[in-house]
Amino acid sequence: MPKSYADLLREARTEIKEVTPPEADALRERGTATFVDVREATEWEQGHLPGAIHISKSYIEQQSEGHLPDRDSPIVTYCAGGVRSLFAAQTLKEMGYTNVASMSGGFQQWKSQGLPWTVPTVLSSEQKQRYSRHLLIPEVGAEGQKKLLDSKALLIGAGGLGSPAALYLAAAGVGTIGVVDFDVVDLSNLQRQVIHSTDRVGEKKTESARRTINALNPDVNVARLIEGYDVVLDGTDTFETRYLLNDAAVLAGIPVVHASVFRFEGQLTVFDPPNGPCYRCLYPTPPPPELAPGCSVAGVLGVVPGIMGLLQTNEAIKVLLGIGDSLAGRLLLFDALDASFTELKLRRDPNCPVCSEKAIAAREAGQPLPVPSSIYGGEVVLGARA
């Protein structure tokens, strides 16, 4: 027998448990249920329950498994008035979800009862198109993309590591990218420094990088060295700069994504005390120059800094979004000749003059701490954090 709309609605109400907005709010405050907004995107953008995820009823079959991997976890669906959410909950139940309820009265009744709601991040139509593949990922979405657009990443070096990192940070929509490099583009750079081009030989690398980044993504502001960065990507090739950068970053509390390359090899880690060691824990003193020659002396396969620069960018984006497990406390080694990755555990040096508990306590107490190091030709005094 054919079924009318009233028949279908009656069946849905028979199969699906309904909760009132106050009951739903109690579940939300306890964090015991996932709320799924099944309205259309235009409705979602006008406001939604705090912490809810958005899966339009039209896509509930397609997108639910990606957003809702646990089929036994409590789920509450809601819409504008409480009807679409019933049918959406019924669909989820048919897909094997065992604990699904629908909120009666929907978002309209939720608001009328004075319960909390929020307005989501709204991207422009061009941004939605540009970052569409990010928006499909539950761990990123519109909120994560807005976080990237509001983030600031500082690149120390616009060379072999900084070039791919800058391109992919820009493509990802990191809103402010600072570029620090004293050098100019040389013809020998172009074998690996893909952000530059032949017609820019002799031009400052910072200016060349700015032009390429702005051409790739107008959302990105290429800033000069300023305070307030959320992450630093270390693409330097001198130990003096690495130590100075490490000490400044530890004092400022900014994580550093470090990478270095040598011929066919690369290494990568994240320095983010107290989550892991700092650069001085890994290298208390610099090696002799003859044991650590730069690319201009030892050479490097052009693709190696590209690989390591992209891995740096991956770590930086994870840090900015607060997702995944960073490489803090781990050192990743790459060998291009056999395409192998090796991971080593790193530990904080309890006597580190920069990031140890003793050093941190001294700085917080306003006691400057001398850092002996031959790299500086004497000692450096690290002042208290501002």
Side-chain angles (χ1 to χ4, degrees):
M1 291 288 292
K3 294 181 180 179
S4 67
Y5 171 76
D7 293 331
L8 295 172
L9 182 58
R10 186 165 47 251
E11 286 183 6
R13 285 207 162 105
T14 301
E15 294 178 18
I16 301 301
K17 175 185 175 182
E18 291 187 276
V19 295
T20 65
E23 290 171 335
D25 189 41
L27 292 172
R28 183 190 65 84
E29 289 188 340
R30 291 198 299 267
T32 55
T34 300
F35 285 80
V36 181
D37 189 319
V38 300
R39 299 174 298 161
E40 297 303 312
T42 53
E43 297 174 281
W44 164 269
E45 291 175 355
Q46 294 172 15
H48 60 79
L49 272 64
I53 62 174
H54 179 240
I55 308 176
S56 170
K57 183 180 177 295
S58 306
Y59 296 97
I60 199 76
E61 297 89 350
Q62 293 174 259
Q63 298 181 5
S64 59
E65 291 176 317
H67 289 277
L68 306 166
D70 186 353
R71 293 176 188 263
D72 296 320
S73 179
I75 297 170
V76 177
T77 61
Y78 74 91
C79 60
V83 175
R84 282 175 290 174
S85 59
L86 269 171
F87 291 122
Q90 191 179 42
T91 299
L92 289 173
K93 185 177 179 181
E94 292 170 354
M95 294 178 66
Y97 289 89
T98 61
N99 193 350
V100 187
S102 171
M103 187 175 76
S104 61
F107 188 56
Q108 293 174 354
Q109 189 171 332
W110 177 279
K111 288 199 300 182
S112 69
Q113 295 187 8
L115 297 172
W117 57 286
T118 185
V119 177
T121 298
V122 179
L123 304 175
S124 69
S125 57
E126 182 178 338
Q127 288 174 328
K128 289 178 182 177
Q129 183 176 2
R130 178 182 289 272
Y131 307 117
S132 61
R133 302 306 186 267
H134 276 179
L135 303 184
L136 295 172
I137 305 174
E139 292 85 354
V140 183
E143 295 296 328
Q145 188 59 56
K146 181 63 165 58
K147 187 181 290 186
L148 289 177
L149 289 165
D150 291 339
S151 296
K152 297 181 178 182
L154 179 61
L155 287 167
I156 307 297
L161 292 166
S163 289
L167 289 172
Y168 275 87
L169 287 172
V174 174
T176 299
I177 299 176
V179 183
V180 179
D181 200 305
F182 70 91
D183 208 355
V184 297
V185 179
D186 185 82
L187 190 62
S188 65
N189 300 148
L190 304 182
Q191 162 250 18
R192 64 200 178 280
Q193 298 181 16
V194 293
I195 203 168
H196 311 300
S197 56
T198 304
D199 63 320
R200 298 181 192 169
V201 170
E203 185 174 308
K204 289 183 178 179
K205 286 185 178 180
T206 50
E207 176 60 20
S208 173
R210 183 195 64 79
R211 291 169 58 188
T212 303
I213 290 170
N214 287 153
L216 175 63
N217 190 348
D219 282 343
V220 179
N221 170 43
V222 182
R224 297 192 180 277
L225 188 59
I226 58 174
E227 294 182 355
Y229 284 95
D230 303 299
V231 67
V232 176
L233 286 80
D234 176 13
T236 62
D237 58 4
T238 68
F239 285 98
E240 180 176 7
T241 307
R242 289 171 185 166
Y243 282 105
L244 287 169
L245 171 61
N246 174 80
D247 299 348
V250 172
L251 285 172
I254 302 173
V256 175
V257 183
H258 167 80
S260 60
V261 294
F262 177 76
R263 292 181 176 167
F264 300 100
E265 302 170 358
Q267 64 179 30
L268 174 73
T269 190
V270 175
F271 297 122
D272 188 19
N275 299 317
C278 74
Y279 187 78
R280 285 185 181 273
C281 298
L282 181 59
Y283 298 110
T285 58
E290 63 273 13
L291 295 182
C295 293
S296 60
V297 176
V300 63
L301 187 68
V303 71
V304 172
I307 293 168
M308 302 311 296
L310 292 183
L311 289 173
Q312 265 189 298
T313 309
N314 180 63
E315 290 301 304
I317 290 175
K318 283 160 53 181
V319 167
L320 293 174
L321 291 175
I323 60 174
D325 296 320
S326 82
L327 281 173
R330 297 182 289 154
L331 180 66
L332 189 67
L333 306 176
F334 172 66
D335 188 328
L337 289 180
D338 58 13
S340 66
F341 286 92
T342 304
E343 184 178 300
L344 304 177
K345 291 290 185 182
L346 300 180
R347 303 188 187 281
R348 291 177 70 189
D349 180 355
N351 297 312
C352 177
V354 177
C355 80
S356 67
E357 298 299 329
K358 177 182 177 181
I360 293 173
R363 288 200 302 274
E364 289 179 348
Q367 302 170 8
L369 189 68
V371 178
S373 177
S374 60
I375 197 73
Y376 299 121
E379 71 176 23
V380 173
V381 176
L382 299 179
R385 183 180 299 182

